[in-house]
């Protein structure tokens, strides 16, 4: 089942609740991404561990319960490691954000059928962003969280307001990204 199919099957109003929750998370990340660094890296590590556990479990284990236990164990392990080793967490956060953003762009451009080349391009972008994030920690985290979340929030606001077209969402997203980066640079100091 695709994300689009999942959203279509939600009860009346549940999609709006999820959209508002996603918008709130995007705005928090846009304006407070660096201050919430430990939270974001822990969540990114957990999501990557969960995905790895599900992939390994569904491919290698015949039992659904065993696959679920493996996925849960890897989610907790990767989340804990990301929290304890912050630079690993920054790598995972920046990499996951870039992967998701590039995959979203490719899916929007080519359609919902995920083919191998979309994953390869998205993985390369994720690896590059992760490495840059570790090299330039504060700047990379602020720019990654502000830009990606600002663009996401701009799209979310325009979708909830039912404003048609990608232009207004892009303009609002850029404005939010610039404001988010400015707020983060003004209110944080380098922790590294």
């Amino acid at each position: 089942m695709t994300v689009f199919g999942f959203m279509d099957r939600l009860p009346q109003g549940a999609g709006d609740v999820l959209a508002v929750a996603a918008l709130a998370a995007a705005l928090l990340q846009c304006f407070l991404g660096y201050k919430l660094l430990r939270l974001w890296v822990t969540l990114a590590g957990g999501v990557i561990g969960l995905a790895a556990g599900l992939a390994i479990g569904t491919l290698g284990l015949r039992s659904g319960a065993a696959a679920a236990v493996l996925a849960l164990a890897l989610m907790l392990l990767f989340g804990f490691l990301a929290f304890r080793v912050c630079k690993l967490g920054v790598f995972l956060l920046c990499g996951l954000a870039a992967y998701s953003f590039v995959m979203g762009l490719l899916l929007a451009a080519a359609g919902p059928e995920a083919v191998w080349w979309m994953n390869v391009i998205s993985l390369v972008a994720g690896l590059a962003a992760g490495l840059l994030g570790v090299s330039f920690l504060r700047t990379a985290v602020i720019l990654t969280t502000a830009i990606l979340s600002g663009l996401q929030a701009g799209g979310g606001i325009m979708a909830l307001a039912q404003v048609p077209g990608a232009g207004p969402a892009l303009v609002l997203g850029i404005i939010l990204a610039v404001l988010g980066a400015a707020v983060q640079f003004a209110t944080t100091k380098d922790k590294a």
Side-chain angles (χ1 to χ4, degrees), residues 19-122:
V20 170
L23 175 60
L27 288 170
L28 276 174
Q29 187 167 342
C30 180
F31 289 95
L32 300 172
Y34 189 69
K35 285 188 175 190
L36 299 172
L37 180 61
R38 291 260 185 210
L39 172 66
W40 297 135
V41 298
T42 302
L43 290 175
V47 167
I48 290 171
L50 179 66
L54 288 173
I56 294 167
T58 56
L59 293 175
L61 300 174
R62 300 212 185 262
S63 167
V69 168
L70 176 65
L72 180 62
L74 287 181
M75 179 185 77
L76 294 173
L77 175 65
F78 277 49
F80 175 76
L81 288 175
F83 179 80
R84 296 298 295 165
V85 183
C86 192
K87 287 193 177 189
L88 171 64
V90 168
F91 176 83
L92 294 174
L93 172 67
C94 293
L96 181 63
Y99 174 88
S100 301
F101 182 71
V102 171
M103 182 58 88
L105 287 177
L106 293 173
L107 286 171
E113 290 188 24
V115 293
W116 69 271
W117 62 268
M118 289 182 183
N119 278 311
V120 170
I121 293 171
S122 299

